[in-house]
Amino acid sequence: MSDYDFLRIEKEWQEYWRSHNLFNVKMDESKEKYYVLEMFPYPSGRIHMGHVRNYTIGDVIARYRMQAGFNVLHPIGFDAFGQPAENAAIKHKTGPKEWTENCISWMVKELKQMGFSYDWDRELSTHRPQYYKWNQWIFLKMFEKGLAYKKSSGVNWCASCETTLANEEVVNGGCWRCHTEVEQKELDQWYLKITEYQDALLEDLELLNDWPERVITMQKNWIGKSYGLEIYFPEVDTGTLIPVFTTRADTIFGATYVVLAPEHPLLDEMIKGRSREKDVREFIERVSRESKISRMSADVKKEGIFTGCFAVNPVNYEKIPIWTADYVLMDYGTGAIMAVPTHDQRDFLFAGEHRLPMRVVIQSPNTPNQLPEKMTQAYEAGGILVNSAQFDGMDNEAAKEKIALWMEEEKIGQRKVFFRLRDWLISRQRYWGTPIPVIYCRQCGIVPVPEKDLPVTLPDKIEISGTGGSPLSKVKEFVDAACPKCGGPGQRETDTMATFFDSSWYFLRYCSPQQNEAVFDKQEAKYWMTVDQYIGGIEHAVLHLLYSRFFAKFFRTLGLVDFKEPFRKLLTQGMVLKDGEVMSKSKGNIVDPDEMIKKYGADSLRLFILFAAPPEAEFDWNERGMDGAWRFLTRVWTLVQNFRELKQAALTQPLPIQEKELEFKLHAVIKKVTEEMKGGFKFNTAISSLMELTNEIMPVLRRAEETKRIGPVLEQAVRTLVILLSPITPHMCEELWKLFGSRESIIKTAWPRYDPAKLQKDEITLVLQVNGKVRSKITVPADIAEEELKTRALDDTKIKEWVKGKSVKKIFVVKNKLVNILLEG
RNA sequence: GGGCGAGUGGUGGAAUGGCAUACACGAUGGACUUAAAAUCCAUUGGCCUAACGGCUAUAAGGGUUCGACUCCCUUCUCGCCCACCA
């Protein structure tokens, strides 16, 4: 008997799969396709446990689908542009390209060592011109449709990365990559008009029934649609209308002051020449110096100042003061609010601080006739309107609608919908990204690079210092370009695209990665898309997944695709931790997959990472579990070897009694494992059921060895075990399958089906309860009549003891499960 | 502040109205061995009991139910996401 020599086995089978092109697929209309995709990695050099987990999950699903008869597309590539390559290039005194390609070849090697079933012919990397050419093409199409535009505005700026950031890339007021506090800067930048699709992006979330609820919620919150009313408050002296946005039109009669954001454009005109002008300007100046993070933090006291101006509340002609305060944000709504201190907690605190007037307009059912001065906090719940003229006595929810309609009639307000979503800022002042294909001409202005001139390639020879602005702007040969329109001297855009642009459509490129005449082949995309199963980290819940949805919708507008949503099903796998912390180089707590592969083999690693926790949960790495995984594989290995030896010497006999139980277990396990592979994805319990099956096969095999007789179920069980395990630990299972005499890969073997008839038992064991407590067990024919069952339950020796001297009130029977005898008293 | 999720043995976890603690790790004892490792066998929530067995336990408290880890209410703790969003 040979040992389980995983190093040899894994190497040989990886070579077999490669040389037989087992995972290279072609479009085939006669077969049902299945597209399984894992989020492609950033080529940082080595794969980490997070990758191992992500890609193992995907690989198991892909291999199962192959055996279930699907034409499976399972590609991989690299999200290769981005800042770390620039930083690494500076550090290692090399070019970003050399560094990146070096990393890619390392990672390819490691991914292959894991035995993943990728179609390597489709491998792509976003830093290659044949890929980013199409980034530029997409950009031009967007430009043509008015969806890519340049504007000057306050942007998020990371001083450490020396670049701008999209709103989605600002996490807790810091840069998502380096956590440096984000500053505000006024810059002229390129934006993509994602807001064009805001309604579709929100509505189509309804189609994503197989996405985790929390991702849907996060996207909904991010898009942030709110229905409300825009109300116009005239300024007393000039009559200038101040538009204010509110979702609480029902509280309009309680508005006792108006607040403008310090950046509000109307403010300047309003205070000019007024007595308080100097103080107000000082205040505005001070706020503008505050960082976003400190201004937005909840525990900082809200500051504000009276402008010296007054507005008229259009519903009751009351003269109310106009303030400016840092708790009102310019980039939401209209940048101005009506303050209702009695019914909004923020206004309540601010009004209290600055002794501003308050009026109750919604009466709480619990505290009628509430006086503002008695309130300790704002009353934000519902109730009946008071102090609200003709709306008095109305329920506040009903009043919302009525007041809105009335104000529209009176032309003092207008119903409006506001979104929180902002257009996507894509300019980055960095080198290692896709050049934005635009030329600036003194005569013609912004001129897009003609399609025939694509790609605009990144210059190779470049100095990257990490300081002093955009590296591309220093490359004269790159910057100088003739204007495509007039032929005159022009200058290229030196900003590059945010790398999330690259990853927003890579899944489409996989359908036809060699297609050099188009962004992707329409027919191929029609066949392969949409992605049936997408797997990746929760950290992309908003960023990548929102951008990709946007791109899909744009391609639909172009008529290139006919689906609305790119990813049908989404699985967000949990993080792999070490001692409760994220593994990172700086913490020095990295567990290198490569070491684990050398020590235990890829199959053990794959098995363990799936067995340790359900895919969606976080899990804390613990090497002891690796021993367990390895031990299980060795057990299976030995089991199959022993079976083979026995088979050569033993006689076949008809189904012996001890195989009956095994047969039931076998079919139950086929059912369980198939369900998890198909969509349950609880691989941890699927594996435990395979362990149970193994545990049940062992004594039967031992008995067969003693009697030198093998029954048909034992053989079926051993073979099926190997097949069921093969998506998880493919190398070992291939080897075992070969030992069974197969000349083909196990992947060509049809997935087993369970026989429902075999799951029917002749006899069943039921639990007998007295007053809800388990007191005994009873084995009865499966088809026993209820009355007969009751009689036999009461006849049970132990039950008799419990029932003795008491009267039975009622007997509950749950079919195939239990009998509960309820006693009197 | 809002939203979502979680809390089960020494550990990872299983069970989503019906036998709580599957499967595994670890631990303890035993077999094999000169010995160790590996392997195999047994035990393993807590308490009581010589044993049969009993009692008790799923963050805490209450409720619904014949029956609750599971459903409902209250509270606590942790995690994640969003957050002066008007």
Side-chain angles (χ1 to χ4, degrees):
Chain A
M1 190 178 84
S2 61
D3 279 344
Y4 170 40
D5 179 5
F6 54 84
L7 287 177
R8 173 190 63 81
I9 293 169
E10 290 179 0
K11 214 174 134 206
E12 281 181 14
W13 283 101
Q14 282 159 18
E15 177 52 28
Y16 177 94
W17 296 329
R18 192 198 60 78
S19 61
H20 288 72
N21 294 324
L22 221 58
F23 306 123
N24 298 348
V25 285
K26 284 198 177 68
M27 177 162 81
D28 179 353
E29 298 284 1
S30 69
K31 282 166 90 183
E32 195 179 342
K33 67 92 187 179
Y34 193 87
Y35 187 173
V36 55
L37 180 67
E38 302 111 52
M39 290 181 185
F40 65 166
Y42 178 81
S44 57
R46 295 296 179 95
I47 64 168
H48 55 67
M49 283 302 170
H51 292 131
V52 170
R53 193 178 196 192
N54 190 177
Y55 303 153
T56 301
I57 293 167
D59 196 48
V60 171
I61 296 170
R63 284 174 180 271
Y64 158 72
R65 289 285 166 175
M66 288 176 204
Q67 284 188 262
F70 289 84
N71 194 25
V72 176
L73 176 58
H74 187 212
I76 190 75
F78 297 92
D79 188 13
F81 272 140
Q83 223 150 310
E86 284 187 48
N87 300 341
I90 296 164
K91 196 172 155 196
H92 299 112
K93 300 206 169 24
T94 167
K97 189 176 163 199
E98 290 70 41
W99 185 81
T100 300
E101 285 181 348
N102 204 4
C103 287
I104 289 175
S105 49
W106 261 109
M107 289 179 84
V108 167
K109 195 174 150 255
E110 292 196 321
L111 290 170
K112 286 185 174 170
Q113 271 184 20
M114 284 298 298
F116 297 137
S117 59
Y118 295 126
D119 179 351
W120 285 102
D121 286 354
R122 291 176 190 259
E123 182 205 332
L124 57 80
S125 183
T126 57
H127 78 289
R128 295 177 190 142
Q130 60 266 40
Y131 185 88
Y132 71 70
K133 170 184 177 177
W134 300 106
N135 278 343
Q136 294 171 338
W137 181 86
I138 295 164
F139 178 90
L140 292 179
K141 285 286 157 199
M142 288 188 172
F143 183 79
E144 196 181 299
K145 305 267 176 202
L147 293 177
Y149 65 96
K150 205 174 188 192
K151 77 167 178 195
S152 178
S153 80
V155 299
N156 306 303
W157 177 262
C158 173
S160 161
C161 299
E162 287 209 350
T163 189
T164 51
L165 297 172
N167 286 343
E168 290 82 358
E169 290 171 323
V170 179
V171 178
N172 293 329
C175 170
W176 71 301
R177 229 182 241 294
C178 68
H179 310 295
T180 307
E181 201 170 292
V182 168
E183 301 167 19
Q184 294 297 299
K185 222 174 175 176
E186 189 74 16
L187 284 173
D188 203 20
Q189 299 278 285
W190 284 98
Y191 288 82
L192 297 186
K193 205 168 179 182
I194 190 170
T195 53
E196 179 84 9
Y197 292 95
Q198 57 197 10
D199 278 308
L201 286 168
L202 188 67
E203 279 162 26
D204 293 348
L205 288 172
E206 302 296 329
L207 304 172
L208 302 174
N209 300 320
D210 286 316
W211 278 37
E213 198 49 48
R214 51 193 295 230
V215 176
I216 302 277
T217 310
M218 282 162 78
Q219 293 223 354
K220 265 187 197 155
N221 291 343
W222 190 262
I223 296 166
K225 188 177 189 176
S226 61
Y227 298 86
L229 194 66
E230 196 171 282
I231 303 172
Y232 311 105
F233 283 72
E235 200 267 321
V236 168
D237 294 335
T238 61
T240 310
L241 292 178
I242 303 166
V244 147
F245 179 66
T246 184
T247 53
R248 293 295 305 272
D250 51 326
T251 63
I252 176 71
F253 287 88
T256 49
Y257 62 103
V258 165
V259 191
L260 304 190
E263 305 88 345
H264 202 290
L266 286 177
L267 209 48
D268 185 72
E269 190 65 25
M270 203 185 295
I271 58 172
K272 202 170 273 173
R274 305 265 184 154
S275 60
R276 299 189 54 82
E277 180 174 0
K278 193 164 159 275
D279 294 345
V280 176
R281 285 202 194 282
E282 264 174 32
F283 173 77
I284 294 170
E285 175 62 22
R286 195 169 80 235
V287 172
S288 74
R289 281 196 307 267
E290 274 176 33
S291 71
K292 205 170 181 165
I293 190 166
S294 67
R295 181 170 161 189
M296 305 247 288
S297 70
D299 41 323
V300 167
K301 197 157 85 185
K302 309 314 172 194
E303 291 192 75
I305 190 168
F306 176 48
T307 59
C309 310
F310 289 87
V312 176
N313 184 340
V315 296
N316 56 13
Y317 307 112
E318 206 169 60
K319 190 176 156 190
I320 57 176
I322 301 173
W323 282 60
T324 177
D326 60 0
Y327 79 97
V328 174
L329 304 175
M330 194 56 224
D331 55 11
Y332 185 77
T334 60
I337 62 154
M338 62 174 205
V340 185
T342 46
H343 306 296
D344 181 289
Q345 184 62 15
R346 290 156 303 174
D347 296 341
F348 182 83
L349 291 174
F350 192 79
E353 183 73 23
H354 298 279
R355 298 175 183 282
L356 285 154
M358 302 186 188
R359 182 187 309 125
V360 172
V361 290
I362 293 173
Q363 201 168 73
S364 154
N366 305 323
T367 50
N369 306 317
Q370 174 74 284
L371 294 169
E373 54 272 24
K374 291 266 165 74
M375 292 171 83
T376 53
Q377 58 176 13
Y379 177 71
E380 292 179 329
I384 301 298
L385 260 62
V386 291
N387 296 323
S388 300
Q390 69 268 41
F391 301 101
D392 278 355
M394 210 178 268
D395 173 77
N396 77 302
E397 281 304 319
K400 245 181 217 178
E401 183 71 14
K402 291 267 187 251
I403 290 178
L405 285 169
W406 172 68
M407 288 179 79
E408 276 188 338
E409 251 166 55
E410 299 287 316
K411 298 204 165 33
I412 49 180
Q414 199 178 356
R415 275 177 295 179
K416 279 224 167 144
V417 173
F418 270 92
F419 284 85
R420 216 187 70 107
L421 185 70
R422 292 284 160 268
D423 279 342
W424 174 16
L425 190 164
I426 58 151
S427 307
R428 295 292 179 275
Q429 293 66 49
R430 307 296 310 189
Y431 162 71
W432 196 232
T434 305
I436 294 174
V438 151
I439 291 168
Y440 299 100
C441 169
R442 214 170 271 273
Q443 300 299 319
C444 317
I446 297 174
V447 184
V449 173
E451 212 177 303
K452 66 174 173 53
D453 294 342
L454 297 183
V456 176
T457 45
L458 268 181
D460 248 350
K461 298 243 164 10
I462 189 147
E463 275 294 312
I464 298 171
S465 58
T467 53
S470 163
L472 280 179
S473 63
K474 287 174 257 173
V475 184
K476 198 171 179 310
E477 312 84 79
F478 178 81
V479 175
D480 292 342
C483 168
K485 226 179 205 171
C486 70
Q491 291 191 311
R492 278 190 200 284
E493 171 63 79
T494 57
D495 283 356
T496 52
M497 295 181 195
T499 53
F500 279 113
F501 194 111
D502 314 359
S503 54
S504 295
W505 66 282
Y506 74 109
F507 46 90
L508 278 158
R509 187 69 189 167
Y510 279 141
C511 297
S512 50
Q514 322 294 349
Q515 171 56 268
N516 285 322
E517 306 306 314
V519 61
F520 53 83
D521 186 295
K522 227 174 134 173
Q523 286 310 309
E524 293 272 355
K526 194 177 166 68
Y527 175 73
W528 291 113
M529 288 297 286
T530 61
V531 174
D532 294 280
Q533 182 64 55
Y534 200 22
I535 307 141
I538 187 76
E539 66 273 19
H540 290 293
V542 177
L543 290 153
H544 163 63
L545 290 170
L546 185 68
Y547 296 147
S548 296
R549 297 182 58 228
F550 161 47
F551 269 48
K553 290 177 195 312
F554 176 63
F555 287 130
R556 191 177 150 93
T557 305
L558 292 183
L560 292 175
V561 301
D562 54 14
F563 53 84
K564 286 183 166 174
E565 288 292 331
F567 313 122
R568 190 165 66 81
K569 229 178 143 176
L570 176 70
L571 175 71
T572 49
Q573 100 271 359
M575 286 206 286
V576 182
L577 307 176
K578 177 81 175 108
D579 305 320
E581 289 185 310
V582 181
M583 287 189 195
S584 75
K585 273 185 198 157
S586 56
K587 291 200 181 89
N589 60 353
I590 290 191
V591 180
D592 188 359
D594 204 44
E595 274 175 40
M596 293 298 128
I597 295 171
K598 287 202 179 82
K599 198 167 163 194
Y600 299 94
D603 280 339
S604 290
L605 179 55
R606 295 166 59 114
L607 178 72
F608 171 59
I609 212 152
L610 294 177
F611 180 59
E616 277 171 300
E618 302 194 318
F619 102 87
D620 214 332
W621 180 264
N622 171 3
E623 198 178 323
R624 281 208 178 121
M626 280 295 301
D627 281 321
W630 184 84
R631 224 157 25 213
F632 171 66
L633 290 185
T634 312
R635 259 204 300 273
V636 174
W637 177 265
T638 312
L639 177 88
V640 175
Q641 307 280 337
N642 290 346
F643 174 80
R644 280 188 63 247
E645 275 173 28
L646 177 65
K647 181 139 200 273
Q648 281 159 12
L651 298 164
T652 306
Q653 67 166 17
L655 189 69
I657 302 186
Q658 69 264 32
E659 287 199 358
K660 198 79 179 144
E661 278 294 304
L662 181 60
E663 188 175 48
F664 174 82
K665 186 74 187 173
L666 174 63
H667 287 272
V669 171
I670 296 173
K671 182 167 188 263
K672 162 77 180 166
V673 174
T674 306
E675 278 166 5
E676 299 306 342
M677 297 270 174
K678 218 174 186 166
F681 303 144
K682 281 179 277 170
F683 299 116
N684 55 331
T685 54
I687 291 167
S688 71
S689 73
L690 288 166
M691 288 173 169
E692 287 176 37
L693 178 60
T694 309
N695 292 346
E696 289 206 22
I697 292 173
M698 293 221 273
V700 176
L701 176 62
R702 215 166 294 137
R703 175 95 184 121
E705 280 169 337
E706 282 161 22
T707 59
K708 293 271 181 279
R709 283 168 195 275
I710 293 178
V713 175
L714 177 58
E715 168 144 24
Q716 196 199 352
V718 175
R719 294 176 76 103
T720 307
L721 173 66
V722 174
I723 304 172
L724 293 178
L725 196 54
S726 69
I728 299 165
T729 57
H731 310 87
M732 185 186 85
C733 292
E734 287 273 26
E735 185 76 8
L736 293 175
W737 199 242
K738 195 169 101 182
L739 294 178
F740 277 125
S742 173
R743 287 160 167 266
E744 269 203 311
S745 163
I746 197 166
I747 212 102
K748 303 278 184 197
T749 308
W751 191 256
R753 288 166 184 275
Y754 71 94
D755 179 355
K758 295 287 193 318
L759 291 172
Q760 299 297 321
K761 284 188 167 177
D762 300 338
E763 287 201 317
I764 48 170
T765 301
L766 298 175
V767 167
L768 299 183
Q769 295 183 333
V770 176
N771 285 340
K773 298 212 175 201
V774 180
R775 296 302 180 188
S776 185
K777 281 177 192 181
I778 186 174
T779 301
V780 295
D783 56 357
I784 192 166
E786 196 170 311
E787 283 311 311
E788 166 76 4
L789 179 59
K790 283 181 183 173
T791 314
R792 289 188 53 178
L794 287 168
D795 210 34
D796 181 86
T797 342
K798 283 181 191 158
I799 295 303
K800 272 184 179 162
E801 278 297 306
W802 285 96
V803 175
K804 198 161 63 186
K806 292 180 182 144
S807 64
V808 175
K809 193 176 174 187
K810 197 168 176 180
I811 302 178
F812 291 87
V813 175
V814 183
K815 205 169 182 298
N816 294 335
K817 289 223 167 105
L818 57 74
V819 177
N820 186 13
I821 298 159
L822 186 64
L823 299 178
E824 203 79 53

